[in-house]
Amino acid sequence: MDAFEDSRRLTGANVYFAGPGAALETVTGPTVDAATLARWAGNIAAARVALGWPAGAVLARPHASGASLAFEAPFDQLYAATEVNEWAWSAAVASTGGQAGDEAMAPGHASHRDADGALHTLRAVAAAEANPRLVALRAAAHARGLPFLSDDDEATVGAGSGAATWPVRALPSADAVDWAAVHDTPCALVTGSNGKTTTVRLVAAMARAHGWLTAHSCTDGVFFDGVELESGDYSGPTGARTALRQPRAEAAVLETARGGLLRRGLAVERVRAAVVTNVSEDHFGEYGVHGLADLARVKLTVARAVADDGLLVLNADDALLRELGADSSRPLGWFALDAGAPWLVAHRARGGATCGVHAGRLQLHWRSRDHDLGAVADMPLALGGRATYNVANIAAASLAASAMGVPPATIASALARFGAGSGDNPGRLQHWRFDTLDVFVDYAHNPEGLHGFLRAIGADRRTGRLAMILGHAGNREDADLRAVAATAAAYRPELVVLKDIGGYERGRTAGEVAGIMRATLIASGVGTDAIETRLDEVEAARRPLEWARAGDLLALPVHELSARACVVHLLDALHAQGWRAGQPLPPREDDMP
């Protein structure tokens, strides 16, 4: 059996350290003890010497499912670094003498002889991967204060309209680059448990209102000037690089999800603003993340990219972010629902930036001045002020856009418009009204997000019946799935349709997630006659429409992108033809856009 479950390159700043390197997740077992971890660290040290690599951070973090083992390595030899990590750990586990580091490497010891052969092979691997021109180009960019991007195929200096890109294996010398034509562009990162995509879209809209041609990446794709370039989940490094390499882009806003942060780290080196919207229970059990504090530290990785004169934007209503983020060395901007919250008042007194609501109006405090951004009830995205999670997203976006250089008046004008059109924030709190039947589509995917969604649409004060669809990706722990189902049950729905999310089963069998949720719904008091299962996500969304009658409320969290496109197309078509509850739906093939 392998001694590790996952081994990966860290291509940028990450949760462990500020530079590139390699990380490994061990298997759960008795080998994760202090002596074995010490042998691993000794093996890493020996490999660095043998390969001529510089010293750097070495981190071993034991956790509930094993240990995360990471070390810094030259950024042009990261595949070799993963091989080094795998050998160092496997050799440490296989060692029977219990010797750590120098002792196990003593001449004549069996481990020394084995290591000699392994290190000979690793030297060849590292030499084949090394790219001195890539190293020199990166150093030259940094010496000029310019960003640098690279992947397996291409390397880029500058960003957007100021970028120059070459194949990794056909790079110019640093002296041959036209550095006068290369420059940076304003950029923001957005992460968090809920509200990431909405906040990205908001900041991008504010940047466009300022007159910048803006690229943004998110869970729905990569976009330039509001036009889709790529469809799918681009909330990781690939999406960031694609957005930053748009040759006409004058600004960029990048969604930065947990998975990408843990698998690869940050693609971007320096930004004007980085936002953490909130931290809530989700995605536990992967890459050593077993609690909220672990997750918060992952999200706060974005702080490593904030420029010295940039802004780290944090949610002051989130106690964990207040605790872990307050000590950041980066300039801080705090947002909250209440502009008069003591945390915000104290931060303003120290000259810091804040944004929150006072007397129904959004107040931005920026560079020691107060700016009225308008009545929250008049902002379409706030749903009359009921969508409090979107009010928080609005406040976060206002701070991020300010840090990028967008004037307060422009931010206010964008907030007065954004959300009024169905294409502004697709898949998030979209609303259709069929006489007295209300239908909402959203991305709510964890307990906090689902609770906020249902509360915003008035599920707790409805006069008719409530129907919803419910499902989740398979890479959540059973406790996460039960928590989502319990949140739904608390609203006493008259119909729950359980589903799978196509392509997101991630190791679970078809219907397994639905089965766990069904048991929780029943245990929480939802009657068996109120629970149905339609594993196909589009079919699940059609069922409440078939069931509905006048005055009902339908909550449809649809997650997979093509399924959502089908559901939105169906609802648009029904609205255009004047459909009413109780009438038949068109055949399924008519749902396709």
Side-chain angles (χ1 to χ4, degrees), residues 188-190 196-197 200-201 215-223 228-244 246 253-261 263 267 428 443 504 506 561 564:
L189 299 176
V190 179
K196 296 186 294 297
T197 298
V200 165
R201 290 169 173 165
H216 76 268
S217 58
C218 63
T219 52
D220 283 354
V222 181
F223 300 78
E228 181 184 279
L229 303 176
E230 303 283 352
S231 178
D233 187 347
Y234 279 86
S235 59
T238 299
R241 288 190 292 264
T242 303
L244 289 167
Q246 293 308 306
V253 189
L254 314 172
E255 183 171 335
T256 309
R258 169 212 60 92
L261 286 171
R263 282 191 294 271
R428 273 71 178 175
Y443 189 74
Y504 289 81
R506 293 173 177 168
L561 197 56
R564 191 195 318 150

Side-chain angles (χ1 to χ4, degrees), residues 35-53:
T36 311
L37 294 175
R39 289 196 295 275
W40 166 78
N43 291 343
I44 294 295
R48 277 178 165 161
V49 171
L51 299 176
W53 288 356

Side-chain angles (χ1 to χ4, degrees), residues 30-313:
T31 57
V32 183
D33 54 33
T36 311
L37 294 175
R39 289 196 295 275
W40 166 78
N43 291 343
I44 294 295
R48 277 178 165 161
V49 171
L51 299 176
W53 288 356
V58 178
L59 183 145
R61 191 177 79 81
H63 50 72
S65 56
S68 299
L69 308 177
F71 72 99
E72 286 186 285
F75 87 103
D76 65 326
Q77 298 171 62
L78 296 181
Y79 283 106
T82 63
E83 298 282 348
V84 167
N85 213 5
E86 292 165 19
W87 164 75
W89 179 244
S90 297
V93 171
S95 175
T96 56
Q99 297 91 343
D102 295 341
E103 193 178 339
M105 291 296 175
H109 192 282
S111 295
H112 175 81
R113 293 192 299 274
D114 293 342
D116 242 9
L119 292 174
H120 177 77
T121 301
L122 291 171
R123 274 193 292 267
V125 172
E129 187 183 0
N131 190 335
R133 281 208 167 187
L134 188 69
V135 174
L137 190 64
R138 181 177 186 245
H142 288 173
R144 292 165 172 82
L146 292 168
F148 181 86
L149 287 171
S150 68
D151 53 37
D152 288 349
D153 301 315
E154 295 180 318
T156 301
V157 294
S161 60
T165 300
W166 305 272
V168 164
R169 293 298 171 185
L171 295 172
S173 67
D175 292 340
V177 175
D178 181 6
W179 294 106
V182 177
H183 60 78
D184 201 356
T185 56
C187 181
L189 299 176
V190 179
T191 192
S193 294
N194 295 300
K196 296 186 294 297
T197 298
T198 296
T199 303
V200 165
R201 290 169 173 165
L202 267 171
V203 178
M206 293 167 179
R208 290 196 302 272
H210 185 49
W212 286 331
L213 295 172
T214 303
H216 76 268
S217 58
C218 63
T219 52
D220 283 354
V222 181
F223 300 78
F224 176 67
D225 204 29
V227 177
E228 181 184 279
L229 303 176
E230 303 283 352
S231 178
D233 187 347
Y234 279 86
S235 59
T238 299
R241 288 190 292 264
T242 303
L244 289 167
R245 284 172 173 161
Q246 293 308 306
R248 295 168 56 218
E250 298 167 311
V253 189
L254 314 172
E255 183 171 335
T256 309
R258 169 212 60 92
L261 286 171
L262 284 165
R263 282 191 294 271
R264 291 288 180 262
L266 292 171
V268 62
E269 296 176 326
R270 187 180 61 190
V271 296
R272 299 296 312 158
V275 178
V276 184
T277 58
N278 47 61
V279 182
S280 63
E281 295 187 2
D282 199 8
H283 288 289
F284 290 167
E286 291 187 313
Y287 299 106
V289 175
H290 292 282
L292 277 178
D294 294 337
L295 189 58
R297 292 185 183 94
V298 173
K299 305 289 187 184
L300 285 166
T301 299
V302 296
R304 297 189 187 273
V306 175
D308 290 342
D309 58 349
L311 196 68
L312 175 60
V313 179

